[in-house]
Amino acid sequence: MDRYNFKISETKWQQEWEKRGSFEVTENSMRPKFFVLEMFPYPSGRIHMGHVRCYTIGDVVARYKRASGFNVLHPMGWDAFGLPAENAAFENNVHPAKWTRENISAMREQLKSMGLSYDWRRELSTCEPEYYRHEQKMFLDFLEAGLAYKRESWVNWDPVEQTVLANEQVIDGCGWRSGAPVVRRLLSQWFLKITEYADDLLESLSELDRWPDQVRLMQANWINRSEGATVNFALSGREDTLEVFTTRPDTLFGASFCAIAPNHPLALALSEDDPALAQFIDHCNRLGTSEAAIETVEKEGYLTSLTAQHPFSEDWELPVYVANFVLMEYGTGGIFGCPAHDQRDLDFARKYDLKVVPVVAPNGKETFEITDEAFVGDGKIINSKFLNGLDVDAGKQRAIEELERLGSGSSKISYRLRDWGVSRQRYWGCPVPIIHCSACGTVPVPEVDLPVTLPEDVDFIQSGNPLDRHPTWKFVKCPKCGEPAERETDTFDTFFESSWYFVQFGAQDQARRFSRSEADYWLPVDQYIGGIEHAILHLLYSRFFSRALTDCGYLNVKEPFAGLLTQGMVCHETYRDPTEVTGGWMFPEEVLRQSDGEFINRNSGAPVIAGRSEKMSKSKRNVVDPESIIRTYGADTARLFMLSDSPAARDLEWTDAGIEGAWRYTNRLWRMVAEPSDPIAPFRTAAPSKFDNHSKELLRKIHRTISDVSADFDAFRFNRAVARIRELTNALASFTGGGDDRAWTRRFGFEISAQLVAPVMPHLAEELWSILGHKTLLTDTPWPRADECFLSEETVTLAIQVNGKLRDTIELPVDVDSVIAEERALALESVARALDSATPRKVIVVPNKVINVVF
RNA sequence: GCCCGCUUGGCGGAAUUGGUAGACGCAAGGGACUUAAAAUCCCUUGUCCGAAAGGACGUCCGAGUUCGAGUCUCGGAGCGGGCACCA
């Protein structure tokens, strides 16, 4: 019994597609366009299973759409700037540029071995000046349009390494290398005005009907538009006021304190004469800048000497705290606390023994006490003078009216979304095209001087940004006055590159920027595919960029991604050597599963502990190398397994048994066509005039499969599509006999099988197509269409229930009269037994589905 | 801490709008072929009671809506993603 030789076949068809330029596209086509894009990879060194999964999904969509008559753009590129290259430079003394470019070459070869239908002519790499020069121009345009500005903002600072740390590099409040406690530090940095588009970014979410609801909801919550009010508290004995933002002005009569952020100007001013406060602020600043760190830390406050005057009551004074949970970045950097109706305020009040006065009672309750849970629901306002008796919404409105009348506040819409800080104090990124002149200030690099190229003659011996230490690079003449000046040594956040790369794929020639007509033709991306972990930042930044680029005349599209598919992670069981106290993680290939289900070390025979399945990661060593899988089983089998077991959106568990099963199927399908045990009609035989019942039944199955698989691909239900194709294979395998009608039907079934499986296993499908006698490529063959007249059934099986429990099934003609159906059901012996001589009270007949006899 | 998900046999999963729970695959057990093994093919397989017919139970847990709930509502548990300088 022969086996499918995937090595020969896969190489052959990959070469054939390349020779013919099968996947090269232009915008000059009579076919409608379809832009399929997978999130481009960071070139970390080698592809991992997550890449294989994502790019397999994208390739199925691209090939399916291509066969379905679309002019498909399906490109690939490299998100090539970023921190890991600098870490590699630091650890292995290899230049980030060399490391990155070598990784790209290696990964490109790996991707090519998967047989992905990319137009490789459009490949781009974000670390090359031909790419990033365009974003330097974009930045200058943003500056001109008022969409970029500079201000001070906080970073994590490692006092030992004397360098800025990414949040990822802060572990338990300490620098990852030095172990020294991290402090916050203010730096002057560039920001992009994403908040200018906050409303539009929020409202347009409703138009993104081919995005997962989950992602739209996450984005909406991230932007978080909230209607409320600003309230100005007069400060006793001072001229200035304390401005706070609140979404609950209706609860003002329940206020028991005010709190400001540790870095609020008022707090900083007070700390000059208050060493204890200065110490408290210092203590707060020892926390990293991440929201998770701030929100999970124990709530602490420092009571200042300030007192705030309640706007609605002459002699009501509130204490003012500096509190570690108040964010300077949100609202005004100050709050008023109403413990009865906000859980965090309640916790704070309990800790510092502040009053808790309920001012909203749940509907139907006259009196109301708060114990350890704040009441945040709707109700009637109490204890609040002129607000009493109103509901929450009316109370908000009335309170704002009163604030406005008193001149101590007004209604205000606030967003949680903050402007995007794009400055990074790092080497391996796109240089910010700005020159600092002592006379002229901040001067943009003139367009003719672009690109500002990243110098490659740098060293990584010291920590910090090597651009700062470069002997010549930053010293330039001021473009305005000609006097000596200095380049900005910050680079852009790498999200900058990934916010517009999809547009650049439209350019036929990657040596130049995309043209307006190319962008107009290809955008938006019709189907975008990537990990759920990018649900907020990358997607939101890209949506902002499209708007900003549209406003600057580059494009005319607000929403860059019309369809979005977020795929789950690839997971694997973890293994540990029990003799190791910490770590001891083992690679799957070091472990052997015995017949009793226990695991042992493949070499030593020592026992191994198997842990639960987790996302494949280098640190836990629960990784399987795609290259070795492709070498052992071929790309098609790897692709099949990636799609067959789990829905795309869910996590996928890698198992050896699973890939083995996929490999068996690959061979089974190949053998069925290449070494058929029953006759096949010759190539291009006309259909016989008559079919026997078996052939008719199989024809129905074939057409039903075409219909189902097409619907499954349309809805990205790849696992179900694979199951349907396997069912067809099973039906073909048990279809024997050799008359003309059967031989013809068998050929038809084989051809359809090859066509349906082609998006998933393109090499095998091409091989089968060729074996079946075709001289043209399956890749250039239109998607099959199901013949409607084979899809309708004459009878249907109905479930017969008694009191909702299944008792029987009956076969009835489709759309049979309800009265007849009911009679047939009641006549059943099984129904009579279940009724046990009781009289049916009513009978519910759902046509073609179920009959429920209720007694 | 906050936001968003997920949870169905021994395992991955299937189940159009609420209408026959377990498609398809994996694993396991039995059989055929073989000197033998591998490969391949056939059969069985949610749990429990029963010789069988048949019956009871069963979709993370607890309530609810409904003739009928894996699916809808409320409450809870466990696991995962994100939290603005990882990408």
Side-chain angles (χ1 to χ4, degrees):
Chain A
M1 194 178 298
D2 284 334
R3 285 206 179 186
Y4 170 53
N5 190 328
F6 65 84
K7 282 189 175 131
I8 292 173
S9 168
E10 292 186 352
T11 311
K12 175 173 72 183
W13 295 114
Q14 283 167 20
Q15 283 170 355
E16 193 65 28
W17 297 326
E18 191 172 342
K19 193 179 85 192
R20 301 198 190 198
S22 295
F23 308 117
E24 295 176 3
V25 280
T26 67
E27 60 268 30
N28 309 311
S29 169
M30 297 303 289
R31 310 157 123 216
K33 72 95 183 177
F34 197 92
F35 187 174
V36 186
L37 185 65
E38 300 104 56
M39 290 180 186
F40 65 164
Y42 178 79
S44 54
R46 303 173 64 75
I47 60 168
H48 53 65
M49 282 299 173
H51 293 130
V52 175
R53 189 175 194 200
C54 183
Y55 304 141
T56 299
I57 291 170
D59 202 46
V60 171
V61 175
R63 286 176 181 270
Y64 172 64
K65 287 293 176 184
R66 192 169 178 280
S68 303
F70 290 91
N71 187 34
V72 172
L73 172 58
H74 187 213
M76 179 43 70
W78 309 95
D79 188 14
F81 276 138
L83 214 44
E86 286 189 60
N87 293 338
F90 207 73
E91 280 155 20
N92 308 326
N93 196 29
V94 51
H95 194 282
K98 183 173 188 287
W99 184 83
T100 302
R101 290 185 186 126
E102 284 176 3
N103 287 350
I104 288 173
S105 313
M107 290 172 75
R108 185 192 298 115
E109 287 317 301
Q110 292 187 305
L111 289 186
K112 285 195 168 177
S113 76
M114 286 180 63
L116 303 165
S117 63
Y118 294 130
D119 181 352
W120 281 104
R121 300 172 310 166
R122 292 170 190 257
E123 179 183 0
L124 60 81
S125 175
T126 60
C127 67
E128 303 302 338
E130 299 86 76
Y131 181 84
Y132 67 69
R133 64 182 302 161
H134 306 308
E135 71 185 38
Q136 291 176 336
K137 172 71 165 72
M138 288 170 191
F139 178 75
L140 298 180
D141 289 337
F142 291 165
L143 205 54
E144 181 123 355
L147 290 172
Y149 66 97
K150 201 163 201 192
R151 71 165 158 89
E152 295 216 301
S153 123
W154 296 91
V155 293
N156 300 310
W157 180 257
D158 186 320
V160 172
E161 299 252 320
Q162 292 284 298
T163 185
V164 176
L165 295 178
N167 282 336
E168 188 191 51
Q169 299 169 320
V170 179
I171 293 152
D172 296 330
C174 298
W176 66 335
R177 291 213 174 95
S178 69
V182 166
V183 294
R184 280 190 229 170
R185 197 176 218 210
L186 266 183
L187 284 185
S188 181
Q189 307 200 65
W190 290 101
F191 282 80
L192 299 185
K193 271 195 192 166
I194 189 170
T195 53
E196 190 113 330
Y197 298 91
D199 260 321
D200 189 28
L201 288 167
L202 183 64
E203 279 175 19
S204 304
L205 287 171
S206 62
E207 294 157 31
L208 295 173
D209 53 353
R210 291 200 291 118
W211 279 40
D213 289 343
Q214 170 198 7
V215 174
R216 293 194 283 175
L217 194 54
M218 280 194 271
Q219 292 220 351
N221 289 338
W222 184 263
I223 297 167
N224 190 26
R225 179 183 196 271
S226 50
E227 292 181 10
T230 52
V231 184
N232 277 302
F233 286 86
L235 295 169
S236 309
R238 292 177 64 119
E239 291 289 298
D240 51 352
T241 60
L242 170 61
E243 190 187 37
V244 308
F245 173 76
T246 178
T247 57
R248 295 296 302 273
D250 56 307
T251 64
L252 264 166
F253 284 99
S256 51
F257 65 96
C258 285
I260 57 176
N263 295 305
H264 193 284
L266 263 174
L268 296 174
L270 287 173
S271 72
E272 283 176 21
D273 305 317
D274 184 346
L277 174 57
Q279 207 180 355
F280 179 74
I281 293 172
D282 197 48
H283 166 75
C284 294
N285 281 342
R286 276 179 207 288
L287 204 58
T289 57
S290 81
E291 192 179 306
I294 294 164
E295 290 283 336
T296 49
V297 81
E298 192 187 341
K299 310 291 175 275
E300 285 181 289
Y302 178 90
L303 183 61
T304 69
S305 54
L306 301 175
T307 49
Q309 202 70 48
H310 196 287
F312 293 156
S313 187
E314 287 271 317
D315 14 82
W316 185 355
E317 292 193 329
L318 299 167
V320 178
Y321 285 81
V322 174
N324 62 353
F325 60 87
V326 181
L327 302 172
M328 197 57 223
E329 314 265 350
Y330 181 71
T332 62
I335 61 156
F336 83 81
C338 176
H341 305 289
D342 182 285
Q343 191 59 46
R344 198 169 53 181
D345 294 350
L346 181 62
D347 296 342
F348 191 81
R350 294 292 187 224
K351 180 163 181 174
Y352 292 101
D353 214 13
L354 299 163
K355 269 201 301 185
V356 179
V357 182
V359 289
V360 181
N363 284 319
K365 283 198 183 177
E366 288 304 315
T367 56
F368 184 49
E369 286 280 324
I370 298 287
T371 51
D372 52 1
E373 200 173 318
F375 174 65
V376 295
D378 196 7
K380 283 271 176 288
I381 295 182
I382 55 171
N383 302 330
S384 298
K385 295 184 179 169
F386 58 89
L387 297 177
N388 282 341
L390 298 173
D391 64 21
V392 166
D393 279 342
K396 285 178 181 172
Q397 232 171 44
R398 180 71 189 85
I400 291 169
E401 277 166 28
E402 186 66 10
L403 285 169
E404 283 175 345
R405 194 183 66 78
L406 295 167
S408 47
S410 58
S411 73
K412 160 102 178 162
I413 290 165
S414 195
Y415 299 90
R416 200 185 79 102
L417 180 70
R418 306 196 298 257
D419 277 338
W420 173 15
V422 292
S423 295
R424 296 292 180 270
Q425 297 69 45
R426 307 194 192 289
Y427 165 73
W428 193 234
C430 169
V432 177
I434 291 289
I435 289 164
H436 296 284
C437 169
S438 54
C440 310
T442 301
V443 184
V445 172
E447 209 182 313
V448 290
D449 294 340
L450 295 183
V452 177
T453 315
L454 198 59
E456 296 206 0
D457 53 336
V458 290
D459 67 75
F460 293 88
I461 299 152
Q462 305 169 43
S463 59
N465 183 352
L467 291 179
D468 280 333
R469 301 190 300 268
H470 194 280
T472 55
W473 184 76
K474 70 175 175 181
F475 301 105
V476 288
K477 286 206 167 96
C478 171
K480 261 193 188 159
C481 68
E483 292 300 308
E486 286 191 14
R487 282 193 192 287
E488 174 141 349
T489 56
D490 282 357
T491 52
F492 284 129
D493 179 4
T494 58
F495 275 124
F496 208 113
E497 283 84 58
S498 57
S499 295
W500 67 280
Y501 76 107
F502 45 91
V503 193
Q504 180 59 21
F505 280 131
Q508 287 216 28
D509 176 4
Q510 287 298 326
R512 59 163 174 83
R513 205 198 76 200
F514 63 88
S515 71
R516 176 63 191 267
S517 64
E518 286 165 333
D520 286 349
Y521 178 77
W522 288 114
L523 293 180
V525 174
D526 296 278
Q527 190 58 50
Y528 198 34
I529 299 150
I532 183 72
E533 66 272 19
H534 295 287
I536 296 175
L537 290 178
H538 163 59
L539 293 172
L540 195 60
Y541 290 148
S542 299
R543 297 180 63 219
F544 156 68
F545 243 73
S546 293
R547 286 163 169 78
L549 289 178
T550 293
D551 287 352
C552 292
Y554 285 78
L555 318 168
N556 185 26
V557 62
K558 271 189 358 184
E559 290 300 338
F561 311 122
L564 176 68
L565 173 63
T566 51
Q567 111 258 357
M569 300 175 302
V570 181
C571 301
H572 196 287
E573 208 168 35
T574 47
Y575 305 103
R576 291 185 64 179
D577 178 346
T579 61
E580 301 273 336
V581 180
T582 57
W585 300 106
M586 296 179 69
F587 289 106
E589 71 242 34
E590 298 172 324
V591 176
L592 190 68
R593 185 175 192 269
Q594 293 179 300
S595 51
D596 59 1
E598 298 295 313
F599 293 87
I600 56 163
N601 186 315
R602 192 178 282 276
N603 296 319
S604 67
V608 169
I609 298 171
R612 69 153 194 272
S613 182
E614 295 181 49
K615 177 186 179 174
M616 282 190 181
S617 75
K618 278 181 193 161
S619 61
K620 298 258 171 89
R621 297 195 168 180
N622 57 339
V623 290
V624 174
D625 178 24
E627 196 174 303
S628 78
I629 293 298
I630 290 171
R631 219 183 300 121
T632 313
Y633 299 101
D636 282 341
T637 298
R639 293 168 58 124
L640 175 69
F641 178 57
M642 279 291 136
L643 298 171
S644 55
D645 264 10
S646 298
R650 273 219 231 163
D651 288 352
L652 176 144
E653 168 136 6
W654 181 277
T655 59
D656 291 344
I659 187 75
E660 283 286 346
W663 172 231
R664 273 200 296 274
Y665 177 73
T666 303
N667 276 294
R668 188 168 176 233
L669 186 57
W670 175 79
R671 207 177 299 122
M672 185 169 82
V673 177
E675 299 171 348
S677 46
D678 294 276
I680 311 179
F683 186 51
R684 285 191 180 153
T685 308
S689 51
K690 281 189 100 170
F691 291 94
D692 67 1
N693 283 338
H694 273 94
S695 298
K696 280 184 194 158
E697 196 188 320
L698 184 62
L699 281 170
R700 265 199 299 277
K701 178 77 184 172
I702 294 168
H703 284 281
R704 164 95 356 229
T705 306
I706 296 172
S707 169
D708 285 349
V709 169
S710 306
D712 287 337
F713 281 154
D714 280 326
F716 312 125
R717 293 181 300 230
F718 307 108
N719 55 327
R720 224 172 68 153
V722 169
R724 298 282 172 266
I725 296 170
R726 291 183 92 131
E727 279 184 66
L728 178 59
T729 307
N730 292 343
L732 282 163
S734 52
F735 180 71
T736 52
D740 281 356
D741 49 353
R742 294 205 182 185
W744 189 92
T745 307
R746 185 170 297 113
R747 158 171 284 276
F748 180 59
F750 288 174
E751 295 199 341
I752 295 297
S753 297
Q755 285 185 274
L756 295 182
V757 87
V760 179
M761 311 175 78
H763 313 88
L764 173 66
E766 204 73 79
E767 188 72 25
L768 300 180
W769 197 245
S770 155
I771 291 169
L772 287 166
H774 292 270
K775 299 288 176 252
T776 53
L777 291 189
L778 177 50
T779 299
D780 297 326
T781 307
W783 191 250
R785 290 177 64 116
D787 189 336
E788 287 294 326
C789 64
F790 287 99
L791 298 181
S792 56
E793 300 284 344
E794 284 166 7
T795 63
V796 66
T797 308
L798 275 84
I800 309 303
Q801 301 177 335
V802 176
N803 278 358
K805 285 196 178 189
L806 183 75
R807 293 299 170 187
D808 213 336
T809 59
I810 49 173
E811 187 98 352
L812 286 175
V814 171
D815 294 330
V816 74
D817 189 272
S818 293
V819 179
I820 297 167
E822 185 175 330
E823 275 171 16
R824 287 285 307 276
L826 289 171
L828 288 169
E829 193 263 334
S830 54
V831 171
R833 187 170 53 227
L835 278 172
D836 193 20
S837 74
T839 319
R841 198 152 48 82
K842 64 174 167 176
V843 179
I844 289 150
V845 181
V846 183
N848 302 323
K849 290 253 166 83
V850 71
I851 296 168
N852 190 8
V853 180
V854 185
F855 71 89

